[in-house]
Amino acid sequence: MKNFMKEFKEFISKGSVMDMAVGIIIGGAFTAIVTSLVNDVVTPLLSLITGGFDFSSLAITFGEGEGAASLCYGSFIQAIINFLLTALVIFILIKSINKFRKKKEEAAPTTKECPFCKEQIAIEATRCPHCTSELN
């Protein structure tokens, strides 16, 4: 039992498990943001276009009375619309984040490597301060 507990402690304290836990927590928070954006911003704008039509009330009832079975295909259509809107919002957010990241990565380099001694030198240097070689 001691060995089991030791292995479990090692497993829990590994970086990958902690990274996964942080990812899940951040994912939950991100889900709340995306859900709010879809429900509170995008869906009302979409209802302006569709005239406020709500698909979730569409259904086919089989039989009569309170115990009659009903096929709520409107809820399914609404779920598909919510999925597509959520996917669109996530796509736009990720695309924006990647665009920002790409701009950050494309920053001009400030150093270069001397072809003779392989030391890092200023990009504007015409002579290496380490080996005193003339640079092109």
Side-chain angles (χ1 to χ4, degrees):
M1 188 67 169
K2 241 183 197 179
N3 195 27
F4 176 79
M5 292 303 286
K6 182 180 176 185
E7 287 180 33
F8 182 67
K9 184 179 174 184
E10 286 176 18
F11 171 75
I12 290 295
S13 63
K14 282 186 181 177
S16 58
V17 173
M18 295 301 186
D19 291 344
M20 182 180 67
V22 169
I24 290 170
I25 292 167
I26 296 295
F30 187 69
T31 300
I33 292 170
V34 171
T35 301
S36 176
L37 182 62
V38 168
N39 292 339
D40 302 332
V41 177
V42 177
T43 302
L45 292 174
L46 187 63
S47 71
L48 286 175
I49 296 169
T50 63
F53 188 74
D54 184 17
F55 290 98
S56 61
S57 61
L58 299 176
I60 298 174
T61 304
F62 301 105
E64 295 179 17
E66 285 185 32
S70 61
L71 177 67
C72 301
Y73 67 93
S75 296
F76 180 68
I77 292 171
Q78 191 68 40
I80 291 172
I81 291 170
N82 286 344
F83 169 76
L84 291 174
L85 287 174
T86 302
L88 177 66
V89 167
I90 289 173
F91 173 74
I92 291 169
L93 285 173
I94 298 299
K95 190 172 174 102
S96 300
I97 290 168
N98 287 341
K99 193 175 191 180
F100 176 74
R101 245 189 229 160
K102 188 182 261 186
K103 283 183 182 178
K104 192 175 182 181
E105 290 173 1
E106 290 176 358
T110 58
T111 61
K112 63 182 177 181
E113 186 178 88
C114 173
F116 302 102
C117 67
K118 305 297 185 199
E119 291 289 330
Q120 290 294 317
I121 57 174
I123 197 112
E124 299 88 18
T126 57
R127 187 176 289 273
C128 178
H130 304 286
C131 68
T132 67
S133 301
E134 278 195 50
L135 306 171
N136 297 342

